[in-house]
Amino acid sequence: MALSPLVDDRFVKALQDLVVRGFPVVLLAISPVDVTRAVLAPSLPTDITCRLWALERVVQLQELRQQGIVVLEWHPDEPLELVLSGMPQRRRIRRVAP
């Protein structure tokens, strides 16, 4: 399980590497857009920039899902428990010897 705002490409590459190696990866993606918007003074440039950033994140998260990463999005204004309740249950696989 990984926890990240996904602002560093090296971290994204590390997640992709884990998936390629066969590890199941669950990502709790914290929205840096909401936090940034909360600390900056409201203005038209800030609004436009945050909207574009949010659109880029939608594409990025969709690409990660297509690569086999389970992505849970967390916005700081919602309860973390609600987001974590959407995490898929891990299934135990029993292997039967031939």
Side-chain angles (χ1 to χ4, degrees):
M1 182 161 195
L3 173 69
S4 175
L6 298 177
V7 294
D8 187 343
D9 287 336
R10 295 173 297 175
F11 187 83
V12 174
K13 287 182 185 358
L15 293 178
Q16 293 166 330
D17 183 56
L18 287 170
V19 170
V20 169
R21 293 171 186 253
F23 290 96
V25 176
V26 176
L27 169 65
L28 179 59
I30 304 165
S31 174
V33 180
D34 297 336
V35 175
T36 301
R37 202 182 275 271
V39 298
L40 295 177
S43 69
L44 183 58
T46 297
D47 185 52
I48 291 171
T49 302
C50 286
R51 285 181 187 209
L52 288 172
W53 193 9
L55 290 172
E56 289 173 351
R57 279 186 59 79
V58 168
V59 171
Q60 180 186 35
L61 296 177
Q62 184 59 34
E63 288 173 354
L64 292 173
R65 286 182 179 108
Q66 290 173 347
Q67 294 169 13
I69 297 172
V70 174
V71 178
L72 304 172
E73 294 180 69
W74 182 44
H75 300 270
D77 61 339
E78 61 187 2
L80 182 57
E81 294 83 11
L82 180 64
V83 175
L84 293 177
S85 69
M87 189 165 65
Q89 297 294 319
R90 184 174 179 195
R91 296 183 190 160
R92 292 185 181 252
I93 300 173
R94 287 189 153 190
R95 298 186 187 256
V96 178

